[in-house]
Amino acid sequence: MNKLKLGVIGVGGIAQNRHIPAFKKLDHLVEIVGVQDINYELSEKVASEFNITNVFEEYNEMFKQVDAVVICTPNKFHAEISIAALNAGVHVFCEKPMAMNRKECDAMIEAANRSGKLLAIGYHYRFTDASITAHRAIEEGVVGDALVTRVQALRRRKVPGWGVFTNKELQGGGSLIDYGCHLLDLAMWLQKDAQPVEVLGKTYNRLSKTPNQINDWGTFDYETFEVDDHVSSFITFEDGSTMQFECSWSANIKEDKIHLSMSGVDGGLNVYPFEIYQPRFGTFFNEQAYAEHNEDNAAQRQSLNFVNSCLGLEDLVVKPEEARRVSSLIDAIYQSSEEGRSVRIES
């Protein structure tokens, strides 16, 4: 079997620390043949460090030499590069979020459908043991019809002080589009076919716009800070179920917190740590299982799923239409906050 020839576009931290190492471990299935970044010197450095042969000045130069690309650029360029690669007949793995907005997502899906090539989005939280176990439990009816889903993705004073994370033009937003999107995608995956119909959202950045802030993840300029650092929202679904969603880069809380739980007609489920709550035999049952949230393992599984899907051996776990739905919710939360009202979501 021929190896999948892979190119990496954008070689910043996420490429160096997650994607390149993960694909390198699959060298029996895939070969990274080249890299490209707007910073050519960085491309050369990364290529040398990971023993990658080719360094391209422009991303479209690699399309004729690869079967697939991994896109790790700022969000602003996700759609542009993905569409160019798909139009060139190349499979695409694009880092989350899928794009800056739903309109760009639609254009990406259209290009994928037209080309017949795969378009995968990097929502790797689905690949953790905790998430997989929760999905299986829900499929087997542990929760029944969901009523309320509760989600928190909270960090204590951890605004990313590197890269372009606080640049709205390049990223489209802050804590929601960068971090909260992971838990939003996971919650939607666990809710299966639930269709969101209305969103009430509120975004904040007051804390990060005040001087002399303590921040564990580097420094940033409070005077030019222009994205959200805290977001809360309430989402209503077509079946009457609801989701309470909150995320933050810089909450004044005791410690970082990641939470996803569902309460349904037949039972309840908590993902971190994994627990099931059900009434049985005339009493209350609480069950636990060891199902960890290991992001390194998840990244490895995600890479294998993409490679195997490109080789025709399995199906993508994260489908572009699902990632588009997450971007639609992000759009609605931002719109709701800007307009000070709830927003209806088109199907």
Side-chain angles (χ1 to χ4, degrees):
M1 182 176 65
N2 293 329
K3 291 184 180 182
L4 186 78
K5 295 185 182 300
L6 189 70
V8 180
I9 302 172
V11 293
I14 198 68
Q16 296 176 48
N17 298 322
R18 177 173 297 154
H19 296 301
I20 295 177
F23 284 109
K24 278 287 187 177
K25 290 179 181 178
L26 302 175
D27 59 3
H28 60 297
L29 294 173
V30 61
E31 176 188 1
I32 302 178
V33 300
V35 296
Q36 187 275 333
D37 193 281
I38 192 171
N39 183 338
Y40 190 80
E41 290 184 359
L42 178 62
S43 295
E44 290 185 309
K45 177 178 177 294
V46 171
S48 176
E49 179 180 348
F50 289 98
N51 194 28
I52 298 170
T53 304
N54 299 300
V55 178
F56 297 92
E57 290 192 14
E58 302 292 337
Y59 62 76
N60 53 18
E61 294 174 356
M62 72 166 56
F63 293 157
K64 291 183 179 181
Q65 299 189 38
V66 300
D67 304 307
V69 293
V70 178
I71 299 172
C72 303
T73 65
N75 301 340
K76 180 178 180 178
F77 308 108
H78 284 186
E80 170 195 320
I81 300 173
S82 294
I83 292 169
L86 292 164
N87 287 344
V90 174
H91 299 297
V92 171
F93 175 93
C94 181
E95 247 300 339
K96 59 77 194 168
M98 184 171 177
M100 296 280 274
N101 52 57
R102 171 180 163 172
K103 184 177 179 181
E104 290 185 352
C105 294
D106 289 339
M108 293 166 70
I109 292 173
E110 182 180 334
N113 291 339
R114 186 171 57 246
S115 69
K117 297 299 178 179
L118 296 181
L119 172 59
I121 310 301
Y123 283 118
H124 68 280
Y125 277 31
R126 293 196 195 186
F127 294 87
T128 66
D129 288 345
S131 301
I132 293 169
T133 305
H135 193 265
R136 289 173 177 170
I138 291 168
E139 286 288 314
E140 292 186 16
V142 164
V143 173
D145 292 335
L147 299 175
V148 180
T149 299
R150 304 168 188 86
V151 183
Q152 289 183 306
L154 304 176
R155 290 173 177 161
R156 180 180 184 177
R157 301 300 184 88
K158 289 184 175 68
V159 176
W162 60 86
V164 295
F165 287 98
T166 64
N167 185 317
K168 188 173 184 178
E169 180 184 356
L170 293 178
Q171 292 295 93
S175 62
L176 172 58
I177 203 168
D178 168 62
Y179 175 43
C181 65
H182 276 302
L183 273 295
L184 196 54
D185 172 75
L186 180 55
M188 293 298 294
W189 185 51
L190 295 180
Q191 288 189 260
K192 299 184 291 185
D193 299 323
Q195 296 298 319
V197 293
E198 188 172 18
V199 172
L200 179 63
K202 181 65 179 177
T203 68
Y204 306 88
N205 67 2
R206 183 176 174 183
L207 191 152
S208 295
K209 291 181 71 67
T210 58
N212 303 317
Q213 289 300 308
I214 299 172
N215 191 61
D216 280 349
W217 282 4
T219 59
F220 61 92
D221 187 349
Y222 75 93
E223 292 184 318
T224 61
F225 191 93
E226 55 183 356
V227 296
D228 51 281
D229 62 11
H230 205 131
V231 174
S232 63
S233 66
F234 188 82
I235 302 168
T236 302
F237 296 88
E238 191 174 50
D239 62 4
S241 63
T242 58
M243 182 191 301
Q244 302 168 13
F245 174 84
E246 182 185 15
C247 69
S248 181
W249 274 342
S250 55
N252 279 318
I253 53 178
K254 181 179 180 180
E255 58 191 3
D256 295 355
K257 182 175 184 180
I258 178 173
H259 175 85
L260 199 167
S261 64
M262 296 177 68
S263 296
V265 174
D266 297 327
L269 179 148
N270 189 73
V271 181
Y272 312 110
F274 184 83
E275 297 175 336
I276 291 173
Y277 319 113
Q278 286 184 311
R280 283 190 286 176
F281 313 121
T283 188
F284 298 107
F285 265 67
N286 298 338
E287 298 177 284
Q288 296 178 322
Y290 179 73
E292 64 179 355
H293 178 80
N294 186 312
E295 294 191 40
D296 291 334
N297 289 345
Q300 198 62 55
R301 290 170 179 166
Q302 175 180 250
S303 299
L304 181 59
N305 175 245
F306 178 64
V307 172
N308 279 341
S309 297
C310 290
L311 296 174
L313 302 176
E314 59 183 272
D315 295 327
L316 290 174
V317 170
V318 182
K319 296 176 174 58
E321 294 80 8
E322 297 169 338
R324 169 191 178 273
R325 185 170 58 177
V326 175
S327 291
S328 294
L329 283 172
I330 291 171
D331 287 353
I333 292 170
Y334 283 143
Q335 181 185 350
S336 174
S337 183
E338 289 172 5
E339 298 180 0
R341 63 176 181 86
S342 64
V343 172
R344 299 290 296 183
I345 296 182
E346 301 175 10
S347 60

